[in-house]
Amino acid sequence: MKATALAHSNTALIKYLGKKDEQLIIPMNNSISITIDALSTITTVEFSPQYTEDVFILNDKKATGQAYQRVVKHLDLLRQEAQRKLKAKVVSKNNFPTAMGLASSASGFAALTVAVCAALGLKKTPQELSMLSRQGSGSSCRSIFGGFVEWVKDDGTGKSYAIQLADEDWWDLRDIVLILEEKEQRQYSTREAMRLSMKTSPFFAARLAATESNLDKMRRAIKKRDFTLLGTVAEHDCLLMHAVALTSNPWQLFWTSATVKMMKLVPQLREKGLPCYFTIDSGANMHLLTLPEHQESILAELEKHHFIKKIVCARLAGGATIISDHLF
Amino acid sequence: MKATALAHSNTALIKYLGKKDEQLIIPMNNSISITIDALSTITTVEFSPQYTEDVFILNDKKATGQAYQRVVKHLDLLRQEAQRKLKAKVVSKNNFPTAMGLASSASGFAALTVAVCAALGLKKTPQELSMLSRQGSGSSCRSIFGGFVEWVKDDGTGKSYAIQLADEDWWDLRDIVLILEEKEQRQYSTREAMRLSMKTSPFFAARLAATESNLDKMRRAIKKRDFTLLGTVAEHDCLLMHAVALTSNPWQLFWTSATVKMMKLVPQLREKGLPCYFTIDSGANMHLLTLPEHQESILAELEKHHFIKKIVCARLAGGATIISDHLF
């Protein structure tokens, strides 16, 4: 009763903002992401009567507190699904050395879900896996799939899961991940920030309304491999989310001075003939989207700026998968 | 046919954003400001048959281009009002040494309007002066009055002008003007930025709707001398405006890295027991609103931060007025 899974992080091009159901994690709007190879998680799970309680070891450290509780809650959900009661040992590793303020819960919960289902012998379709993974961490449902992925808020029967719009071979997009701040200095967790935005920003409803046409544009951009449209819409959607956060009560500004410097640099790079667009999650770091033929020239430009602490070049990755090398 | 006027700048607590009528400068929403003594303009106007064309000398330099054309257009409006055709010499000085990216058109057009009306012998009430001044530069209509001022978008008869909510002696508010950037590095003028916001931001309508209740709160804050309410609403309204700009197409970010550093510092000052709230116009500099008893402690805190280039402490000022010392 042991299995190991590998899952990749994803970068949201149309962001998930606000929950219709806090418990089940049903989002207020569909979202679209690319699954990227920059940050990945490998997780080994073993269920055995030898364990008297669940153990979760993340990056060689025994997890406690909230991180541990979230994993146990997810194990409980999947144990209930399999009608099993065995306790588990979970060992998980991110391929990123330190906590960079990048979302690791997406790859983490996708890997956990896939590994646990395999270990418990639960035969699930990728869609079912994404429904289960969603309940651990919303955006993890997108990491079940590779390439271009849409999280459907409600398929008409009340079910919410991710679907693949195009696989990782459809279009060789590049995501230059710019680490501008090594530690998160956030006042609120992403969950709490979203809740505040939904409850208090006078722009929340207008953002939700604008999202419908942005989702259409993004699907079209992917279908037609229209990079300008994809980038423009991703940048705009990112700014809609940050503008909602800024107008919440209390206001939330995720950017640091380096983020602002980098934001202003991006249109300058475009003016130099280097097509690239940014997107920023609820943190200070940035994803710079570009095409393979411009990556080297952009990297050369980025090297001039000392406020960029680390650069990680990502390509599109495949979906979450079972692998044979166990971590223990 | 010579007169000199003094007018002060104003800081908008509820900002003016978008025009219903571009030509007449009728705003989409009421706005509320304080008239401050930090930046003032003295303008001397002389009409005489000796002038064969209008001349405008601003800060000892002959103005040309757009700055000159705006003044001539305003002179034409006032000449038409007085049914005179004489050309004029206009000499204007701001008490601020250099262009700091702070709005000088508010004090500038208020002083120009008052001086020209006096020179041409036009007897106008302050309300009429504000209606005339508005057509030169929208926010200048608020600088006709001192203290706390509301610009009424439409009084029900189609007229738009400023009214005084309370005079400068009502409440000893302080406006610490923080010069973070000495030069404006803007992609668009305030006028063009507003036009883009109104046309393209999906948040423009929601901002307009939110403004009604913010105006109510601000009037109440002034009436009750409720500093927390005044500051909270001013900070929120400022963020609403910047969020609208951020979500326009193309997006506009007026802040620099220093602005962001300063924005993050303000809640920290409040946590230290120093009541203060920021407001930022369509530029990188900041107005820090506070009460007299906290000004010294706040200044001591601000001294620690080298990203602040210059600090100007402002008090509330009176309205635009005729003075006897001519500039020429």
Side-chain angles (χ1 to χ4, degrees):
Chain A
M1 304 203 69
K2 188 172 183 174
T4 299
L6 162 70
H8 302 283
S9 176
N10 68 72
T11 302
L13 305 178
I14 301 286
K15 307 214 181 279
Y16 149 48
L17 178 56
K19 295 180 181 71
K20 197 151 72 179
D21 186 316
E22 289 272 346
Q23 286 309 307
L24 292 173
I25 314 189
I26 308 286
M28 291 292 286
N29 64 275
N30 285 23
S31 53
I32 294 178
S33 64
I34 45 174
T35 303
I36 58 162
D37 61 3
L39 175 63
S40 62
T41 303
I42 294 177
T43 298
T44 299
V45 180
E46 184 180 43
F47 289 90
S48 163
Q50 78 181 89
Y51 303 124
T52 54
E53 58 167 13
D54 293 321
V55 174
F56 173 39
I57 294 161
L58 174 63
N59 297 329
D60 301 319
K61 225 178 122 183
K62 198 172 164 178
T64 54
Q66 213 177 9
Y68 174 71
Q69 289 305 331
R70 275 181 81 182
V71 165
V72 170
K73 197 182 158 211
H74 201 56
L75 289 170
D76 286 342
L77 172 79
L78 298 169
R79 273 188 286 244
Q80 198 184 1
E81 191 77 14
Q83 295 187 300
R84 300 298 296 254
K85 290 198 168 177
L86 289 171
K87 298 292 179 189
K89 180 177 176 182
V90 178
V91 176
S92 197
K93 278 196 178 182
N94 295 324
N95 72 340
F96 240 40
T98 48
M100 288 295 198
L102 292 168
S104 56
S105 67
S107 53
F109 277 86
L112 180 66
T113 304
V114 170
V116 169
C117 286
L120 292 177
L122 280 167
K123 302 273 183 239
K124 297 286 179 187
T125 64
Q127 200 177 91
E128 288 168 336
L129 286 169
S130 81
M131 266 193 285
L132 290 166
S133 195
R134 186 201 79 223
Q135 296 172 65
S137 165
S139 59
S140 75
C141 76
R142 296 187 306 239
S143 279
I144 296 294
F145 297 92
F148 300 84
V149 183
E150 179 161 353
W151 176 5
V152 180
K153 63 178 175 179
D154 182 338
D155 70 353
T157 72
K159 285 179 184 163
S160 177
Y161 47 78
I163 54 170
Q164 189 178 56
L165 296 176
D167 73 15
E168 58 274 24
D169 298 322
W170 172 250
W171 190 10
D172 187 15
L173 278 192
R174 299 297 168 89
D175 178 353
I176 304 175
V177 186
L178 301 174
I179 313 296
L180 303 171
E181 300 296 330
E182 299 196 5
K183 279 188 183 170
E184 295 194 88
Q185 297 174 311
R186 292 193 293 174
Q187 213 182 339
Y188 301 99
S189 69
T190 303
R191 287 189 170 196
E192 187 53 30
M194 269 197 200
R195 205 175 290 144
L196 278 172
S197 288
M198 193 171 147
K199 269 204 237 165
T200 65
S201 169
F203 292 166
F204 188 82
R207 189 266 170 185
L208 207 56
T211 303
E212 287 309 312
S213 88
N214 289 331
L215 284 162
D216 274 345
K217 284 179 194 159
M218 189 56 75
R219 286 182 207 112
R220 188 156 25 104
I222 294 166
K223 197 171 176 184
K224 297 190 170 181
R225 296 194 192 95
D226 180 340
F227 181 67
T228 306
L229 182 61
L230 177 136
T232 308
V233 176
E235 208 169 274
H236 181 58
D237 176 75
C238 148
L239 291 168
L240 291 176
M241 183 196 77
H242 287 272
V244 167
L246 269 174
T247 54
S248 299
N249 180 19
W251 56 269
Q252 298 160 67
L253 175 59
F254 299 115
W255 307 334
T256 61
S257 55
T259 316
V260 164
K261 280 181 193 161
M262 195 56 226
M263 285 171 74
K264 296 198 162 187
L265 184 60
V266 173
Q268 289 170 28
L269 293 174
R270 289 199 288 259
E271 273 166 35
K272 284 187 180 178
L274 298 171
C276 59
Y277 296 88
F278 65 75
T279 186
I280 307 165
D281 289 328
S282 48
N285 296 320
M286 179 181 282
H287 295 267
L288 198 54
L289 305 163
T290 192
L291 293 168
E293 58 268 35
H294 304 294
Q295 182 166 311
E296 282 313 307
S297 313
I298 289 170
L299 289 173
E301 288 287 333
L302 296 177
E303 266 171 23
K304 299 175 190 167
H305 300 282
H306 67 278
F307 57 83
I308 304 171
K309 296 201 173 135
K310 191 174 171 171
I311 297 177
V312 181
C313 294
R315 291 166 180 249
L316 298 196
T321 181
I322 290 293
I323 59 172
S324 53
D325 287 343
H326 298 312
L327 292 177
F328 66 94
Chain B
M1 302 203 69
K2 188 171 183 175
T4 299
L6 162 70
H8 302 284
S9 177
N10 67 73
T11 303
L13 305 178
I14 301 286
K15 307 214 181 281
Y16 150 48
L17 178 56
K19 295 180 180 71
K20 196 150 74 180
D21 186 316
E22 289 273 347
Q23 286 309 309
L24 292 173
I25 313 187
I26 308 285
M28 291 292 286
N29 63 275
N30 285 23
S31 53
I32 294 178
S33 65
I34 46 173
T35 303
I36 58 163
D37 61 4
L39 175 63
S40 62
T41 303
I42 293 178
T43 298
T44 299
V45 181
E46 184 180 43
F47 289 90
S48 161
Q50 79 181 89
Y51 302 125
T52 54
E53 59 166 13
D54 293 321
V55 174
F56 174 39
I57 294 160
L58 174 63
N59 297 330
D60 302 318
K61 227 178 121 183
K62 198 171 163 179
T64 55
Q66 214 178 9
Y68 173 71
Q69 290 303 333
R70 274 181 82 182
V71 165
V72 170
K73 197 181 158 211
H74 201 55
L75 289 170
D76 286 342
L77 172 79
L78 298 170
R79 273 189 286 245
Q80 197 184 0
E81 190 78 14
Q83 297 188 300
R84 300 298 297 254
K85 290 196 167 181
L86 289 172
K87 298 291 179 190
K89 179 177 176 182
V90 178
V91 176
S92 198
K93 279 196 179 182
N94 296 324
N95 72 340
F96 240 40
T98 49
M100 289 295 199
L102 292 169
S104 55
S105 68
S107 53
F109 277 86
L112 181 66
T113 304
V114 169
V116 169
C117 286
L120 292 176
L122 280 167
K123 302 274 181 239
K124 296 286 180 190
T125 63
Q127 200 177 92
E128 289 167 336
L129 286 168
S130 80
M131 267 193 285
L132 290 166
S133 195
R134 185 200 81 223
Q135 296 173 65
S137 166
S139 59
S140 75
C141 77
R142 295 187 306 238
S143 279
I144 296 294
F145 297 92
F148 300 84
V149 184
E150 179 161 354
W151 176 4
V152 179
K153 63 178 175 181
D154 183 338
D155 70 353
T157 72
K159 286 178 184 163
S160 178
Y161 47 79
I163 54 169
Q164 190 178 55
L165 296 175
D167 73 15
E168 58 274 26
D169 298 322
W170 172 249
W171 190 9
D172 187 15
L173 278 192
R174 299 299 167 88
D175 179 353
I176 305 175
V177 186
L178 301 174
I179 313 297
L180 304 170
E181 299 296 330
E182 299 196 5
K183 279 188 184 170
E184 295 194 88
Q185 298 175 312
R186 292 193 292 174
Q187 214 182 339
Y188 301 99
S189 68
T190 302
R191 286 188 171 197
E192 188 52 30
M194 267 196 200
R195 204 176 291 144
L196 278 173
S197 288
M198 193 170 147
K199 268 203 237 165
T200 66
S201 170
F203 293 167
F204 187 83
R207 189 266 170 185
L208 208 55
T211 303
E212 287 309 311
S213 88
N214 289 331
L215 284 162
D216 274 344
K217 284 179 195 159
M218 189 56 75
R219 286 183 207 111
R220 188 157 24 106
I222 293 165
K223 197 172 176 183
K224 295 191 171 181
R225 296 193 191 95
D226 180 341
F227 182 67
T228 306
L229 183 61
L230 177 136
T232 308
V233 176
E235 208 168 276
H236 181 57
D237 176 75
C238 147
L239 291 168
L240 290 176
M241 184 196 76
H242 287 272
V244 167
L246 269 174
T247 54
S248 299
N249 180 19
W251 55 269
Q252 299 159 66
L253 175 59
F254 299 115
W255 307 334
T256 60
S257 55
T259 316
V260 164
K261 280 182 193 161
M262 194 57 225
M263 284 171 74
K264 296 198 163 188
L265 184 60
V266 173
Q268 289 170 29
L269 293 175
R270 289 199 287 261
E271 273 166 35
K272 284 187 181 178
L274 298 171
C276 59
Y277 296 88
F278 65 75
T279 187
I280 307 165
D281 289 329
S282 48
N285 296 320
M286 179 179 283
H287 294 266
L288 197 54
L289 305 164
T290 192
L291 293 168
E293 58 268 35
H294 303 294
Q295 182 167 311
E296 282 313 308
S297 313
I298 289 170
L299 289 173
E301 289 286 335
L302 297 177
E303 266 172 23
K304 298 176 190 166
H305 301 281
H306 68 280
F307 57 83
I308 304 170
K309 296 201 174 134
K310 191 174 171 172
I311 297 177
V312 180
C313 293
R315 292 167 180 249
L316 298 197
T321 180
I322 290 293
I323 59 172
S324 52
D325 288 343
H326 298 312
L327 291 178
F328 66 93

